[in-house]
């Protein structure tokens, strides 16, 4: 707005940096498809709007990327595979269209775990390769919205859009030290993304700050006639987000559940909870019943739905899939219709438990992930990584939100002794993203400093 910088200048910087990303050793592999002409066209249009003082929104001129799971013109809708998206896309997903209408500059589509089937982001196929964690390129970014988190953490853009069916926004945001918001199920339209699991997946932004996440949320969160699951939602609001008074907030913690994490993660998260208490909020001990049943039921639901949708792919493109994807889909074959029915009965029970809990507290606090980003081994680069124990552990605090549809926000709160990010998660009742963002703003004040990642691009330089 001041005129000191134009979207065109920023876009030129980004193009130069995207070229540099591809040439670095090892390559960052955050953005896997980009087009210089497209970027510059959007940037020049935005520059003209600023010159004429007729900008479209707060996002006008702001660089963003979208996970490859979304249709984005003119890129290939590969969804992390080598066999999908053989032709350039001709129609935008709803979120891509809304970002364009807001004046955002789409700098490309970001890397992802093949078909969203894992939590590491490890994707060794020829189109994708393994995205690197900007805090330590020898560690994973987390998945499945891997490139989205890496792009934001590395400074390529302050906003990226991901999908989250089992922590796929919140895990990579946590591992890469940025903010990740999973909206309430149906809050942000999934139209134009591959419908891998219709009952567990939510869309959300990965951003450099809670305020940025709030801005993006306010633009994307509304009913979409093309996406029936969110049609009856209440109006999205950011009311009281910046209210200074914290005294009436009740923060629910199930300490037994909370403490099942690495010592460094637990120490940082306990201190963050005490920080919120020091601002006047009260911590209320709650019990999250049947968490093991809910965890198993979530796995049955998400894998059964993915297996159903991907049945033709599994039969026709089996040998073109990564080994880990084949194993996950083969495991899903073992679930029966009876398993799926019982899992959905458990969903009803879990939602009722949460209704009772949210009648007494405003939110539930947990660590985001029980550990920091796992290390990348040489064999992972060739054949991929399949560690079911690690996958299950990474999803520990994520699954409740996906299984029941409640929203969740992860905010970085510190670093391990090895310099890897640690985050806290806040979950709230359905449609109450505003309270998450309000608490998230206060959590940001707890972190004494933000360490610059070892891979970082200054697009304003």
């Amino acid at each position: 707005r001041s005129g000191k910088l134009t979207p065109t200048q920023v876009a030129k910087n980004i193009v130069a940096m995207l070229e540099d990303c591809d040439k670095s050793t090892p390559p960052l592999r955050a953005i896997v498809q980009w087009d210089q002409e497209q970027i510059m066209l959007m940037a020049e249009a935005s520059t003209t709007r600023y010159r004429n003082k007729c900008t479209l929104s707060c996002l006008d001129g702001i660089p963003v990327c979208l996970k490859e799971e979304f249709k984005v013109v003119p890129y290939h809708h590969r969804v992390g595979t080598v066999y999908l998206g053989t032709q350039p896309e001709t129609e935008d997903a709803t979120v891509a269209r809304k970002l364009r209408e807001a004046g955002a500059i789409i700098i490309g589509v970001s890397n992802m775990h093949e078909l969203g089937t894992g939590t590491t982001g490890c994707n060794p196929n020829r189109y994708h390769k393994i995205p690197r964690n900007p805090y330590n390129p020898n560690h994973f970014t987390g998945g499945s919205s891997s490139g989205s988190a890496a792009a934001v953490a590395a400074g390529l853009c302050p906003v990226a859009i991901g999908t989250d069916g089992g922590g796929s926004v919140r895990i990579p945001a946590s591992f890469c030290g940025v903010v990740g918001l999973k909206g309430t199920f149906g809050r942000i339209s999934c139209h134009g993304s591959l419908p891998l699991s219709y009952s567990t997946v939510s869309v959300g932004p990965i951003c450099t700050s809670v305020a940025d996440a709030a801005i993006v949320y306010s633009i994307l969160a509304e009913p979409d006639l093309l996406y029936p699951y969110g049609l009856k939602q209440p109006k999205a609001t950011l009311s009281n987000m910046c209210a200074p008074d914290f005294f009436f907030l009740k923060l629910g913690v199930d300490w037994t559940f909370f403490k099942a994490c690495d010592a460094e993660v637990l120490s940082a998260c306990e201190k963050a909870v005490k920080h919120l208490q020091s601002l006047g909020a009260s911590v209320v001990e709650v019990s999250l019943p049947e968490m093991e049943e809910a965890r198993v039921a979530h796995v049955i639901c998400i894998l059964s739905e993915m297996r159903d949708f991907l049945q033709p792919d599994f039969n026709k493109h089996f040998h073109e899939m990564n080994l880990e994807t084949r194993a996950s889909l083969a495991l899903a074959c073992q679930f029966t219709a009876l398993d799926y029915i019982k899992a959905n009965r458990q969903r009803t029970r879990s939602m009722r438990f949460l209704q009772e809990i949210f009648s007494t507290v405003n939110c539930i606090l947990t660590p985001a992930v029980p550990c920091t980003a796992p290390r990348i081994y040489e064999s992972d680069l060739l054949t991929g990584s399949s560690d079911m124990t690690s996958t299950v552990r990474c999803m520990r605090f994520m699954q409740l939100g996906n299984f029941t549809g409640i929203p969740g926000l992860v905010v970085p709160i510190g670093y391990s002794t090895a310099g890897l990010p640690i985050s806290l998660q806040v979950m709230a009742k359905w449609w109450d993203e505003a309270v998450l963002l309000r608490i998230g703003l206060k959590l940001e004040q707890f972190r004494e400093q933000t360490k610059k990642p070892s891979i970082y691009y200054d697009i304003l330089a």
Side-chain angles (χ1 to χ4, degrees):
R1 283 177 183 164
S2 70
K4 289 179 183 174
L5 202 62
T6 68
T8 301
Q9 287 172 285
V10 175
K12 284 177 182 174
N13 289 346
I14 291 170
V15 168
M17 289 160 186
L18 287 171
E19 289 171 346
D20 183 73
C21 284
D22 288 340
K23 293 171 188 169
S24 62
T25 306
L28 181 61
R29 297 307 293 162
I31 307 294
V32 288
Q33 298 182 59
W34 58 279
D35 183 296
Q36 179 174 346
E37 186 181 351
Q38 289 285 324
I39 295 170
M40 295 313 300
L41 277 173
M42 284 182 274
E44 284 157 11
S46 179
T47 298
T48 301
R49 289 193 294 272
Y50 273 98
R51 193 182 300 127
N52 296 334
K53 294 185 168 46
C54 59
T55 50
L56 298 171
S57 78
C58 295
L59 283 183
D60 206 328
I62 302 298
V64 305
C65 70
L66 292 96
K67 185 179 185 179
E68 201 181 56
E69 195 169 327
F70 293 100
K71 294 180 178 180
V72 183
V73 179
Y75 303 109
H76 295 265
H77 188 216
R78 292 191 178 119
V79 199
T81 71
V82 295
Y83 66 85
L84 288 172
T86 54
Q87 298 298 317
E89 202 49 56
T90 56
E91 183 184 346
D92 277 331
T94 296
V95 286
R97 175 180 57 78
K98 288 177 79 69
L99 289 168
R100 283 191 209 275
E101 289 171 352
I105 300 167
I106 297 173
I107 66 168
V109 293
S110 50
N111 207 341
M112 64 176 286
H113 206 108
E114 185 179 60
L115 295 168
T117 54
T119 59
T120 58
C122 184
N123 189 352
N125 72 43
R126 66 180 182 271
Y127 287 136
H128 299 88
K129 301 301 179 190
I130 297 174
R132 302 296 179 137
N133 191 316
Y135 275 91
N136 186 329
N138 294 318
H139 287 251
F140 285 119
T141 56
S144 63
S145 306
S146 50
S148 296
V152 172
L156 291 171
C157 53
V159 175
I161 308 299
T163 58
D164 190 317
S168 287
V169 159
R170 293 162 292 156
I171 293 170
S174 303
F175 282 165
C176 292
V178 289
V179 173
L181 171 65
K182 180 200 91 73
T184 303
F185 177 76
R187 178 62 104 179
I188 299 173
S189 175
C190 278
H191 176 73
S193 68
L194 202 70
L196 294 165
S197 168
Y198 71 88
S199 77
T200 67
V201 175
S202 297
V203 177
I206 295 174
C207 299
T208 40
S209 70
V210 174
D212 289 353
I215 290 167
V216 180
Y217 166 76
S218 68
I219 286 171
L220 297 181
E222 65 177 4
D224 174 15
L225 291 173
L226 299 171
Y227 185 64
Y229 299 119
L231 287 179
K232 297 289 180 73
Q233 64 178 274
K235 186 171 176 57
T237 173
L238 297 177
S239 62
N240 295 326
M241 181 180 151
C242 298
D245 189 357
F246 234 51
F247 286 96
F248 299 108
L249 281 180
K250 294 180 179 176
L251 317 175
V253 179
D254 180 331
W255 286 111
T256 304
F257 186 58
F258 190 103
K259 289 180 179 180
C261 57
D262 291 352
E264 280 189 302
V265 173
L266 178 60
S267 174
C269 290
E270 284 179 329
K271 287 174 186 171
V273 173
K274 285 178 182 170
H275 166 73
L276 294 175
Q277 272 184 294
S278 73
L279 298 175
S282 56
V283 171
V284 178
E285 283 201 43
V286 297
S287 173
L288 295 170
E290 300 179 9
M291 285 305 294
E292 182 61 16
E293 289 85 347
R295 183 186 70 76
V296 173
H298 166 263
V299 170
I300 290 168
C301 285
I302 190 169
L303 281 181
S304 296
E305 289 167 10
M306 291 176 82
R307 184 69 173 84
D308 171 55
F309 179 73
L310 294 169
Q311 178 73 24
D313 300 48
F314 192 70
N315 293 337
K316 190 176 177 183
H317 299 286
F318 179 82
H319 293 289
E320 295 170 88
M321 291 176 171
N322 291 336
L323 296 173
E324 183 191 12
T325 306
R326 296 185 212 173
S328 298
L329 293 177
L331 170 66
C333 295
Q334 304 306 308
F335 298 133
T336 65
L338 190 59
D339 293 329
Y340 187 72
I341 290 166
K342 283 186 174 179
N344 276 291
R345 285 181 180 152
Q346 179 62 46
R347 195 196 307 257
T348 303
R349 287 178 64 83
S350 295
M351 290 173 79
R352 281 185 185 147
F353 294 145
L354 285 176
Q355 278 181 318
E356 291 172 19
I357 289 168
F358 286 127
S359 70
T360 60
V361 297
N362 299 97
C363 70
I364 296 168
L365 302 179
T366 71
V369 191
C371 56
T372 54
R375 187 173 180 80
I376 298 170
Y377 294 96
E378 282 298 311
S379 59
D380 300 335
L381 306 177
L382 301 172
T383 56
S385 171
S386 184
D387 183 344
M388 197 55 76
T389 304
S390 175
T391 298
V392 168
R393 190 158 189 252
C394 285
M395 292 166 61
R396 175 179 174 81
F397 300 117
M398 301 284 138
Q399 291 173 282
L400 185 64
N402 296 113
F403 188 48
T404 63
I406 59 172
L409 177 76
V410 296
V411 180
I413 54 166
Y415 305 89
S416 68
T417 50
L420 292 167
I422 294 169
S423 296
L424 188 78
Q425 176 175 230
V426 193
M427 294 181 284
K429 69 177 182 289
W430 300 269
W431 317 113
D432 197 7
E433 287 85 352
V435 78
L436 299 183
L437 296 161
R438 182 182 177 191
I439 295 167
L441 284 175
K442 298 295 185 186
L443 273 176
E444 282 182 319
Q445 297 170 4
F446 165 73
R447 192 178 56 202
E448 292 176 357
Q449 59 167 331
T450 301
K451 293 181 182 174
K452 187 177 282 191
S454 58
I455 301 173
Y456 186 78
Y457 296 94
D458 185 354
I459 59 172
L460 303 183

